[in-house]
Amino acid sequence: AQSVAQPEDQVNVAEGNPLTVKCTYSVSGNPYLFWYVQYPNRGLQFLLKYITGDNLVKGSYGFEAEFNKSQTSFHLKKPSALVSDSALYFCAVRDSQKAAGNKLTFGGGTRVLVKP
Amino acid sequence: ETGVTQTPRHLVMGMTNKKSLKCEQHLGHNAMYWYKQSAKKPLELMFVYSLEERVENNSVPSRFSPECPNSSHLFLHLHTLQPEDSALYLCASSQGGGRGGSSAQYFGPGTRLLVL
């Protein structure tokens, strides 16, 4: 079985400060990991993914995420947060083993509030 | 965001009504998905279609009936719904079929459904 945990329901950060949104996962095989962002009354927008290779992945809007296999984590980061980054962020995982099918398991989401 | 479109954006229906949600993807993908997003619950995968064949059905009640006439269109037919079915219904698509793969899923804006 695969699972994702986002331990923080909400993260508050001042504009210009670094932003980190935490994610840990559990899969049987090697993970494919994804981050999505959801703005109010909108669908989920893909930010970035880790498949293989370099542990530091860069994505849209200045976001990046670091894959840490030993800690089974894939935390999302942004060096300098903007007020417009305020949204709901979802981490997701899929087991790379084909037998696992295409089920993408999402975390419960973390609401980010960036204050001016 | 125009890669995956959903109509209607909002829907109010009574428990005895029959309605359909429509999703269309313009990305050339060959897999499509229905998700349910309820308040304070993780995103729930409902159905997966790969190459127009249903490959996953996550124990969804029969009052939800999906239809995928071709790789670009996906419908969710609704009948005799319950108030607890009120939620945001999200459609997504991806490349690489519905059986594993590293492709990200791309989401539509969702249909906000209210069942009275």
Side-chain angles (χ1 to χ4, degrees), chain A residues 3-113:
Chain A
S3 65
V4 177
Q6 293 181 243
E8 302 155 316
D9 289 339
Q10 181 159 324
V11 170
N12 298 318
V13 63
E15 188 174 31
N17 282 3
L19 169 64
T20 298
V21 186
K22 295 179 180 177
C23 172
T24 58
Y25 66 90
S26 174
V27 295
S28 301
N30 291 319
Y32 294 151
L33 293 154
F34 304 81
W35 274 102
Y36 288 85
V37 60
Q38 186 177 31
Y39 298 99
N41 300 313
R42 308 284 277 278
L44 277 66
Q45 291 182 36
F46 169 67
L47 279 178
L48 51 80
K49 68 179 180 182
Y50 170 82
I51 303 303
T52 187
D54 195 346
N55 289 343
L56 185 64
V57 179
K58 294 188 184 296
S60 307
Y61 311 121
F63 284 94
E64 58 188 29
E66 187 165 12
F67 171 63
N68 188 318
K69 188 172 184 176
S70 62
Q71 296 185 4
T72 61
S73 67
F74 190 55
H75 301 329
L76 181 71
K77 300 179 182 182
K78 186 170 183 178
S80 179
L82 301 172
V83 172
S84 56
D85 293 328
S86 299
L88 189 57
Y89 290 80
F90 291 95
C91 181
V93 69
R94 179 191 303 141
D95 196 321
S96 62
Q97 293 177 346
K98 288 190 176 181
N102 201 38
K103 184 173 181 178
L104 197 60
T105 299
F106 285 84
T110 298
R111 188 164 300 282
V112 170
L113 181 59

